[in-house]
């Protein structure tokens, strides 16, 4: 069997869908469904079981798995409960790492571009301890992911045992179907699509940094299908281990993202700019752009979808349909 933690979430449910599409129904999801409709992300899927995170370690006793894809985490960049985030994002990850090491099970886990902080130290995915120690995450979520990257790098540096395949993936700004339960953490495209279609004004943040125009804050936006292709390639290529960026390598502005949505619908843009809330200004990234050379050198040649093509596909196949779920 394959275990996908966070499998009812955004990226996880897309991974589960792709595994089903490839003919694998022996998939176990570890997640909490809650009461916010997250079950709909799995409504079209075939699964062996859904295991609550609190029961996972007991469930794993005596199991044999083909791989663990660890995507479960508290992913809100606005999270403030340090103890809860550290327990969930770091300590549970360490327990899974130890389990996979002891049983020689491949382990693929989600890190984050949030580990890069304001980008002053660059966006290179050098997994050495000296390189990682230069990074300064700006929020609790990014720090928790960074701590786990450091723990893995420490084991590599010390020659300690690791799973036969151990891969960390620094996801940049992923968007696509099944993100709808994320509320304020949804992509701005998903949050504002109904306004775009209805012709209502769409609000984006003003810039509060000299030299950057309103709406020109940039991210490396990557469509979830591209992320899934990377994960499936890794499952099929067990000789590859390491820490890799997963982005397109091309930063684009929030304005570009929304203009692509208007273009996909053939409607006239209607954007206004509002002040960024005071409470996030100090931890706001104005620019992210992945370096994907190491992933490509490792053998990945699946390419990445352009922003315009990704937005067009998202709008046509999901957002502009009665059923928006994959």
């Amino acid at each position: 069997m394959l275990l996908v933690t966070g499998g009812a979430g955004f990226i996880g449910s897309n991974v589960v869908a792709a595994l089903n599409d490839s003919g694998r129904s022996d998939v176990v999801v570890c997640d909490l469904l809650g009461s916010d409709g997250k079950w709909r992300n799995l409504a079209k899927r075939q699964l062996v079981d859904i295991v609550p995170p609190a029961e996972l370690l007991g469930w794993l006793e005596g199991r044999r798995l083909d791989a663990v894809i660890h995507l479960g985490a508290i992913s809100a960049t606005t999270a403030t409960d340090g103890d809860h985030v550290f327990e969930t994002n770091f300590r549970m990850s360490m327990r899974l790492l130890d389990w996979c090491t002891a049983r020689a099970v491949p382990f693929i886990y989600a890190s984050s571009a949030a580990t890069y902080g304001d980008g002053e130290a660059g966006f290179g995915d050098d997994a050495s301890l000296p390189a990682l120690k230069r990074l300064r995450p700006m929020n609790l979520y990014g720090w928790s992911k960074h701590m786990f990257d450091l723990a893995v790098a420490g084991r590599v540096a010390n020659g300690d045992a690791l799973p036969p395949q151990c891969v960390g993936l620094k996801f940049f700004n992923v968007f696509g179907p099944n993100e709808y339960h994320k509320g304020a953490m949804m992509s701005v495209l998903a949050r504002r699509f109904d306004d775009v279609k209805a012709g209502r004004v769409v609000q984006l943040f003003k810039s509060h940094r000299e030299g950057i125009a309103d709406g020109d804050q940039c991210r490396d936006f990557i469509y979830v299908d591209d992320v899934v292709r990377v994960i499936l390639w890794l499952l099929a290529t067990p000789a590859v281990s390491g820490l890799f960026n997963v982005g397109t390598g091309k930063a684009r502005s929030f304005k570009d993202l929304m203009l692509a949505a208007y273009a996909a619908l053939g409607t006239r843009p209607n954007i206004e700019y509002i002040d960024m809330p005071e409470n996030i200004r100090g931890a706001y990234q104005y620019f992210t752009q992945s370096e994907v050379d190491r992933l490509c050198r490792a053998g990945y040649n699946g390419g990445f979808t352009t922003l315009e093509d990704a937005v067009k596909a998202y709008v046509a196949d999901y957002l502009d349909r009665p059923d928006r779920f994959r």
Side-chain angles (χ1 to χ4, degrees):
M1 292 185 293
L2 286 165
L3 173 65
V4 182
T5 73
F10 168 36
I11 297 175
S13 64
N14 278 276
V15 170
V16 171
L19 290 170
N20 275 185
D21 291 345
S22 71
R24 296 206 66 157
S25 58
D26 56 341
V27 179
V28 175
V29 163
C30 174
D31 212 331
L32 291 172
L33 299 180
S35 57
D36 56 3
K38 197 160 68 170
W39 68 271
R40 295 186 183 278
N41 288 345
L42 295 173
K44 302 172 186 176
R45 309 278 70 88
Q46 184 176 359
L47 304 168
V48 174
D49 199 0
I50 300 176
V51 181
E55 300 177 17
L56 180 59
L57 294 179
W59 181 89
L60 283 170
E61 290 183 10
R63 300 281 178 179
R64 297 183 64 182
L65 299 175
D66 290 340
V68 171
I69 305 169
H70 180 40
L71 306 175
I74 296 171
S75 59
T77 57
T78 54
T80 57
D81 186 337
D83 296 312
H84 185 42
V85 168
F86 192 76
E87 174 65 29
T88 302
N89 293 3
F90 179 81
R91 297 189 71 206
M92 177 57 79
S93 299
M94 291 298 295
R95 295 181 188 112
L96 284 173
L97 176 66
D98 289 341
W99 187 91
C100 288
T101 300
R103 291 156 184 80
V105 173
F107 181 64
I108 299 169
Y109 75 90
S111 182
S112 173
T115 59
Y116 291 117
D118 62 7
E120 286 294 318
F123 298 97
D125 50 4
D126 184 342
S128 69
L129 275 175
L132 290 175
K133 287 179 178 179
R134 288 195 293 267
L135 303 182
R136 295 291 181 269
M138 299 173 70
N139 55 55
L140 177 59
Y141 163 69
W143 172 74
S144 69
K145 290 293 188 179
H146 182 55
M147 288 293 289
F148 187 66
D149 290 341
L150 284 169
V152 173
R155 293 191 179 190
V156 171
N158 293 331
D160 295 337
L162 285 168
Q165 181 183 32
C166 186
V167 183
L169 300 175
K170 292 200 173 195
F171 297 134
F172 277 67
N173 280 70
V174 189
F175 69 101
N178 293 11
E179 61 174 315
Y180 321 117
H181 65 282
K182 291 169 65 70
M185 292 295 109
M186 276 192 293
S187 69
V188 66
L189 173 56
R191 290 201 314 273
R192 299 292 179 247
F193 178 76
D194 289 339
D195 293 329
V196 171
K197 186 173 181 182
R200 295 188 291 266
V201 65
V202 170
Q203 296 179 331
L204 297 177
F205 287 144
K206 291 180 179 178
S207 170
H208 296 272
R209 181 172 293 182
E210 187 176 349
I212 298 177
D214 295 341
D216 278 351
Q217 303 94 324
C218 287
R219 296 285 185 275
D220 190 334
F221 296 106
I222 180 168
Y223 196 42
V224 71
D225 285 7
D226 294 346
V227 170
V228 170
R229 273 195 295 273
V230 171
I231 293 173
L232 294 189
W233 173 76
L234 286 165
L235 286 173
T237 318
V240 173
S241 289
L243 183 64
F244 302 102
N245 285 333
V246 181
T248 66
K250 296 181 179 178
R252 300 292 300 274
S253 71
F254 282 97
K255 181 169 64 177
D256 289 339
L257 178 70
M258 298 315 299
L259 290 177
Y262 284 107
L265 287 172
T267 57
R268 180 178 298 177
N270 184 12
I271 300 173
E272 72 174 19
Y273 299 97
I274 61 172
D275 286 331
M276 189 182 299
E278 292 275 0
N279 66 318
I280 68 171
R281 289 185 195 180
Y284 187 83
Q285 291 174 303
Y286 273 76
F287 181 89
T288 65
Q289 180 173 278
S290 65
E291 296 177 14
V292 294
D293 294 349
R294 291 187 68 252
L295 181 64
C296 295
R297 287 199 303 270
Y300 183 71
N301 61 2
F304 302 101
T305 311
T306 66
L307 180 68
E308 285 74 16
D309 287 345
V311 170
K312 184 177 181 180
Y314 190 13
V315 168
D317 297 340
Y318 299 100
L319 290 177
D320 201 26
R321 293 193 175 205
D323 181 359
R324 294 181 172 182
F325 292 86
R326 180 174 183 181

